[in-house]
Amino acid sequence: MTEEKQLINKTYFEAFLEHSEEHPIQVLGEAYLAEQKKEIYDLSYIRFAQGEVYFHNKDYETAIFKWENINNELEPWAKKNIGDAYYELGLLSAAEDVYILIDSESVVLTAEVALKLFSLYVLDGNIERAYEMINKAIAVNPDYPNVTTIAREFYEEQKDFDRALELAVYEAIRTEELSWFKVIRNYIEQGCTKTIAPNYFTKTLSSLYRVDNFEFKQLMKALWHEYRQTSYLQWIKTVNEVFLNIEETSHMSWEPIGALFKETYLDLLSGKFLVKELHEVVPDLLANWLKVTPVSQSTFVSAAILSWNEVFPSTIGTAVKEAENRIFNSVANDTGSIEYSLDLLHSIATWSDSKNLEVSYKLNWFISSLTNLEINQYLVASSVKSGKSSFINTIVGENIVRADQSSTIILSHDDQLGRKEILDEGEREVLNIYNEQKLINTESFFDVKLPSHFLYENRCRFIVTPDIGNRNDERQQLFDFLPLADGLLFILDANEGFTEKERELLAQLKKQAADMKIHFILNNIDLSAGEEELERIMEEIEAKIKEFSPRAELFPYLSSLPISQQLDSLSAFVNGNFQSVHTNKEETRNAKILYFVRQTLNSLLKKKVENENNMIDSINWNEDILDRLNGFSNHLYDMEKEKAGEIKKAFQRIKTEMRTAAESRIPLILRECAGLINDNSDFKNIHIELNEKMNEKVQIYLEEELLPKYMNELQQWIRTSDETLHDSQTNIDEMCVTFSGLYEEKEKLKLECNFSIISDWTRDIERMESRSQIENENILLRHTPAQILLKGAGKLFGAISQNKSILANQYKRYLENESFADPTASIINKFFLQFDLFEKGLTQDVNRFFKEPFASLKEIINETEIEISRAQEYIETMKSNPEVYYDPLTLFEVRLLQYEFMIKANKEISYSN
């Protein structure tokens, strides 16, 4: 390798110097002469060395001359050096020709030549050939000095990060040098691996784990963040594959990998994935997570394993026993904080929103109230006639509670008085609780905020349920609000004592909430009975209380004492006896929150069934509506056709009447013009004069007789048409009212017709009236035989007086007997032309009148069809893919069980301690 290094650096000549201080040229010249004197000599070695010296002194031509005469084993290196010399001379083409012809078994020389060609091609801009050469150099000798570094820099310059990453991964696995693993991490952090499958890095991670644990975690973290938004499940499979080959490492520090396992687990169970997808990754994920988690910190992961195994038995394996051992023998450092439960609730809410399901607002309100650990919540209950309402009102300083209360009222301190009704659907402000509750309403409760010294000083909230009588709903409200309370204050009537019915009620309550602290308030104390009698009553009631619950205490409320004194005593009683609720308060509240989370999941299951039923009802209802709407549309079409025909027919009738009148009147007018002829007429031009007179009389008739009558008829036609169209609108409005009643919306269907056509018709008729004058008609200037003869006779005999009488009689006879059919038809056609055009547009105008109703109706029909289609699609999805709905709820159940296991485990640990 030493000789190859000399050949690469062109320092082979140094072997001839033997510490000589003389110039290399002189030393090599003397050696050359000495070698030449030998009987058998070989000058190739000396020539090779001389070429190197000339090269270093930039005498490239002499160097080439020397190297061209090398015929021994150094010949390939000599050719390579010749190529270097051409390269230095700028003769790149000549250098390439020399390099290409070099054929050697030396991997070092082959790599060196490939690098030289690579540099040449880069300089020449031939990137494709440069790729070939650098790839060849790596393939031949990846250990060649700087070859992989040069290749990486080249790939990066070309923005070819796929090739750069491939090189880095290959070299990292081959050399196990940390620098290459850091290069890979850098590429990942730059986002260069988005298109690469996660399992591509399996060998890299396994190799890095053997080299350096810290860098392994850093690379794992970088990949985890990179694939979280893309190939998430494939990446988890890769993680599992890597960690399954890692031995037990709980003694090592695995942060931040442990946090990534936890974050991933919560993300996978957030409702985004189906169970069948998670079965392939979650069991191994949990087992590997447990493997890297210290025993002292394994409560969370152990509970996760147990809950998964509870819902999906026999899917995890031996990790279950390890989890059982750890969860009950580890340090109780993770009892399941409220944040976990709220995060689960947030996941449920996000998922339910995506499925158009509403999480109960009332349950959310309960959970929100439990998160305030600074406020204690006391349930205040009693049987009938205990005087609870007056007791509560005195304590809080406001008349809020009444004996006829039928809904639960929650009282808390605030600077401003406010009342809200809380329902499953939301909340609303109310002015008077008792007007709103309508005596019986167990579906909602009232949140009342008021300025209260007692509630403020004791940092508490009263949950006041209705007095419990014989109605089931009163008892049910007590049990519904029980999980919300930190303790129970039960009001007793001093006159009744602690009755058997009350004991039975509280016994049932204790079965549901065994840890609930119960204490008693004795109310309605009769001070007139005497001190001894009062003492006897107190002792008797206390004895029954102790028999029921040895730790329960009784507070006698004396309304006769000053209120301040009573409040101080009551504060001491409450704070003293409920002191234990502050112990492990977050854990206790968290258990209550989880109870309501479970209620939320149950309500969503019911919602699913309700939604399906609602969808089916919606489909049936919309299909019925669609039939009605299509019937309405057909009716509207028939109405449009009918009204258009009716209006057009009325117009045609008027026009026909006017036309008929004109057809009979105009010929008479023309015949009457015979009276204009006498013996003094100018028979040469009489046909012209008569033609003008006839047109004048016809025009007078049209304008002064026919047109006024026509206009009058058309005005009446407009009024009649207006009434007809208003009848149509009335008909449409009535049907709209019917449909709006079906929709339960006042103006769901409102179809407004376009009455502007009436004003348009009025304007058009007025314009036609002003344009009634027609062009003069050629009446007597035609080329009929009779007219030709009359005109000829007039010209020939018109100047002879004795013939004028004859001509006058002939003209009169002609006019009186002529039918004038053609000019009459022409005049009528001209006069009625604009009315004919108007008539042709009537159908289109009526269509315009109905256009908007048709458009609106079509829009509603389309909306209804879309609603039907969506509902059918939803039903079909639920039938064909029920897992889309049930799988997320199942996964939420897994997380809920996990947090319940954590609370249970902490209790077991506490008891054992």
Side-chain angles (χ1 to χ4, degrees), residues 98-193:
V98 174
Y99 288 142
I100 289 173
L101 293 174
I102 296 173
D103 184 17
S104 173
E105 295 180 358
S106 170
V107 294
V108 174
L109 178 58
T110 302
E112 181 69 16
V113 171
L115 282 176
K116 290 295 183 181
L117 282 169
F118 165 76
S119 299
L120 188 150
Y121 290 137
V122 169
L123 188 64
D124 198 36
N126 192 341
I127 301 302
E128 184 178 350
R129 293 287 287 159
Y131 264 106
E132 290 180 21
M133 290 301 107
I134 196 64
N135 292 340
K136 180 179 179 181
I138 295 171
V140 170
N141 190 1
D143 290 318
Y144 193 79
N146 296 323
V147 66
T148 51
T149 301
I150 293 170
R152 178 173 64 83
E153 291 174 351
F154 171 69
Y155 295 147
E156 289 177 357
E157 287 174 1
Q158 300 304 314
K159 307 296 183 185
D160 189 352
F161 290 102
D162 287 345
R163 194 70 64 89
L165 179 65
E166 182 183 357
L167 172 66
V169 168
Y170 177 81
E171 287 301 298
I173 296 172
R174 187 180 71 84
T175 65
E176 293 192 340
E177 292 181 4
L178 276 180
S179 59
W180 282 111
F181 291 107
K182 290 179 179 179
V183 168
I184 295 171
R185 177 155 60 90
N186 182 51
Y187 288 152
I188 294 167
E189 290 171 349
Q190 289 180 35
C192 301
T193 59

Side-chain angles (χ1 to χ4, degrees), residues 860-908:
I860 293 176
I861 289 173
N862 289 340
E863 289 175 1
T864 306
E865 289 174 339
I866 290 171
E867 286 185 22
I868 293 172
S869 177
R870 285 175 178 171
Q872 289 173 335
E873 185 178 346
Y874 176 86
I875 294 295
E876 184 61 33
T877 300
M878 287 296 99
K879 288 181 179 179
S880 60
N881 300 300
E883 65 275 9
V884 171
Y885 191 95
Y886 287 111
D887 279 11
L889 292 176
T890 303
L891 296 174
F892 295 143
E893 172 71 15
V894 172
R895 287 177 63 183
L896 180 58
L897 279 173
Q898 176 193 3
Y899 301 149
E900 291 173 343
F901 275 136
M902 293 170 70
I903 292 174
K904 181 180 178 182
N906 186 57
K907 286 184 177 180
E908 295 288 343

Side-chain angles (χ1 to χ4, degrees), residues 802-858:
Q802 56 267 35
N803 293 329
K804 287 186 177 182
S805 177
I806 298 172
L807 288 173
N809 290 330
Q810 289 295 326
Y811 262 104
K812 285 181 180 181
R813 191 177 300 115
Y814 168 76
L815 293 179
E816 290 170 352
N817 295 319
E818 178 61 33
S819 66
F820 295 107
D822 290 341
T824 298
S826 178
I827 291 169
I828 290 173
N829 288 337
K830 289 178 181 179
F831 179 80
F832 282 96
L833 176 61
Q834 55 184 347
F835 296 100
D836 291 338
L837 294 174
F838 178 80
E839 178 188 341
K840 288 180 180 179
L842 286 178
T843 300
Q844 186 176 353
D845 289 341
V846 175
N847 292 342
R848 183 157 56 91
F849 175 80
F850 286 96
K851 181 179 180 181
E852 193 60 35
F854 271 117
S856 299
L857 193 57
K858 183 178 180 181

Side-chain angles (χ1 to χ4, degrees), residues 698-714:
V698 168
Q699 191 65 46
I700 291 171
Y701 164 72
L702 293 177
E703 292 182 358
E704 296 182 3
E705 184 177 340
L706 181 64
L707 187 61
K709 185 177 181 181
Y710 198 7
M711 290 298 107
N712 185 53
E713 291 289 335
L714 289 179

Side-chain angles (χ1 to χ4, degrees), residues 13-30:
F13 69 91
E14 291 178 351
F16 292 92
L17 300 183
E18 295 180 352
H19 308 292
S20 174
E21 294 182 359
E22 296 179 359
H23 195 278
I25 293 295
Q26 183 177 349
V27 173
L28 290 173
E30 291 173 355

Side-chain angles (χ1 to χ4, degrees), residues 290-323:
L290 185 67
K291 183 187 293 187
V292 300
T293 304
V295 173
S296 61
Q297 301 171 10
S298 56
T299 304
F300 193 93
V301 60
S302 297
I305 291 173
L306 295 178
S307 63
W308 182 272
N309 189 66
E310 181 81 11
V311 179
F312 307 109
S314 306
T315 57
I316 294 184
T318 58
V320 175
K321 289 186 177 180
E322 176 66 18

Side-chain angles (χ1 to χ4, degrees), residues 383-384 468-471 475 498-506:
S383 57
V384 180
I468 301 167
N470 296 321
R471 292 209 317 267
R475 184 181 295 256
F498 190 19
T499 66
E500 183 65 26
K501 185 177 180 180
E502 290 171 334
R503 287 197 295 274
E504 288 178 2
L505 172 67
L506 293 179

